[in-house]
Amino acid sequence: MTSIFTVHAASGYEQLMGRWSRRLATKFIDFAGLAAGEKILDVGCGTGSLTFELAKSADLTEIQAIDFSPVFVEAARQRNTDPRITIAQADATALPFADGTFDRSLALLVLHFVPETGKAVAEMRRVVRPGGVAAAVVWDHYGGMPGMRMIIDTVAALSESGRQMRNRYCFQPMMQPGEMKRTFVEQGLADVTEAELMVRMDYENFDDFWAPIAAGEGPLGKYMTTLDTAELERVEAAVRDAYQAGRPDGPRSFASVAWACRGIVP
């Protein structure tokens, strides 16, 4: 198994995370760097948040995008109108490209869902030419995602299974300070730099916040599908109360922080 991310529908992912990953993609591109004429690999492209932002950001020669999920691959292909972009289903731990094919390999919100993270970073290094860049970014689930922690902590207060889910969610791979940097160094990348990137997640109301999770999208949604009707109603009522915080339902905004890391291929 090469991904632990749960996806049912591309539209559900877009509401859950795609709209925010697009905001993060622009900051990640600035961090990772780009130059005209380069060939770029997007590892774990999802619905194309980074892929299509790359196409807008520089005069690139080629963008290859891969994802393990056929749902994501099909959705991204349907969106694509750029002849420079090719989207395929592939495994991040066994990339179907020759050594040194790309100038940069980038992974947006992917590595924490890959069980063999070190192997994925090694592959990102392998397919980049000497002097090129490998870079990745993941959310800080433990300390940088207050909107999601609001759900997690509410669920954890209601049941033992919720507490166990919180333990898994908060400590996925690559999310602790310095963890991704150490992995990049261990896989032979040079001049490794780690930074924090922040975006805001803005919701119109509670339903906008809750709907994709209730529909089973992502790791929190997967947990919700294990609950019976009464348990789910109890969780929803408690999370709604936390979201509204004693005020009428309506817009809410959460600052969300991600860890970013880049290194040079020797």
Side-chain angles (χ1 to χ4, degrees), residues 195-246:
E196 298 174 53
L197 307 180
M198 191 275 285
V199 300
R200 297 201 72 90
M201 296 182 175
D202 303 305
Y203 298 93
E204 295 180 7
N205 50 41
F206 177 72
D207 286 342
D208 186 32
F209 176 72
W210 179 249
I213 295 168
E217 296 294 344
L220 299 186
K222 182 179 181 180
Y223 173 78
M224 300 306 165
T225 64
T226 69
L227 305 179
D228 63 31
T229 300
E231 289 174 319
L232 184 59
E233 289 176 353
R234 183 182 179 211
V235 167
E236 180 175 346
V239 175
R240 181 187 293 273
D241 185 61
Y243 175 91
Q244 294 176 352

Side-chain angles (χ1 to χ4, degrees), residues 13-14 17-26 47 49-50 108-109 139 199 201:
Y13 172 81
E14 280 293 301
M17 191 55 64
R19 49 185 168 167
W20 316 130
S21 59
R22 282 192 293 277
R23 290 187 181 182
L24 185 61
T26 57
T47 54
S49 298
L50 177 61
L108 175 79
L109 304 179
W139 293 123
V199 300
M201 296 182 175

Side-chain angles (χ1 to χ4, degrees), residues 136-243:
V137 62
V138 302
W139 293 123
D140 177 2
H141 278 187
Y142 180 83
M145 296 283 283
M148 297 299 104
R149 277 300 299 267
M150 185 172 66
I151 300 174
I152 288 286
D153 290 336
T154 299
V155 169
L158 295 176
S159 69
E160 177 59 30
S161 66
R163 286 188 288 275
Q164 293 174 5
M165 188 268 291
R166 178 173 63 183
N167 294 346
R168 295 190 300 271
Y169 182 84
C170 288
F171 295 101
Q172 288 176 241
M174 301 294 101
M175 290 185 172
Q176 303 311 300
E179 185 179 3
M180 191 156 42
K181 183 176 183 178
R182 287 193 298 273
T183 301
F184 272 48
V185 171
E186 289 169 358
Q187 297 305 325
L189 290 156
D191 299 326
V192 178
T193 301
E194 188 175 73
E196 298 174 53
L197 307 180
M198 191 275 285
V199 300
R200 297 201 72 90
M201 296 182 175
D202 303 305
Y203 298 93
E204 295 180 7
N205 50 41
F206 177 72
D207 286 342
D208 186 32
F209 176 72
W210 179 249
I213 295 168
E217 296 294 344
L220 299 186
K222 182 179 181 180
Y223 173 78
M224 300 306 165
T225 64
T226 69
L227 305 179
D228 63 31
T229 300
E231 289 174 319
L232 184 59
E233 289 176 353
R234 183 182 179 211
V235 167
E236 180 175 346
V239 175
R240 181 187 293 273
D241 185 61
Y243 175 91

Side-chain angles (χ1 to χ4, degrees), residues 81-94:
T81 59
D82 192 322
R84 297 173 300 166
I85 296 174
T86 302
I87 302 162
Q89 185 177 8
D91 185 341
T93 64

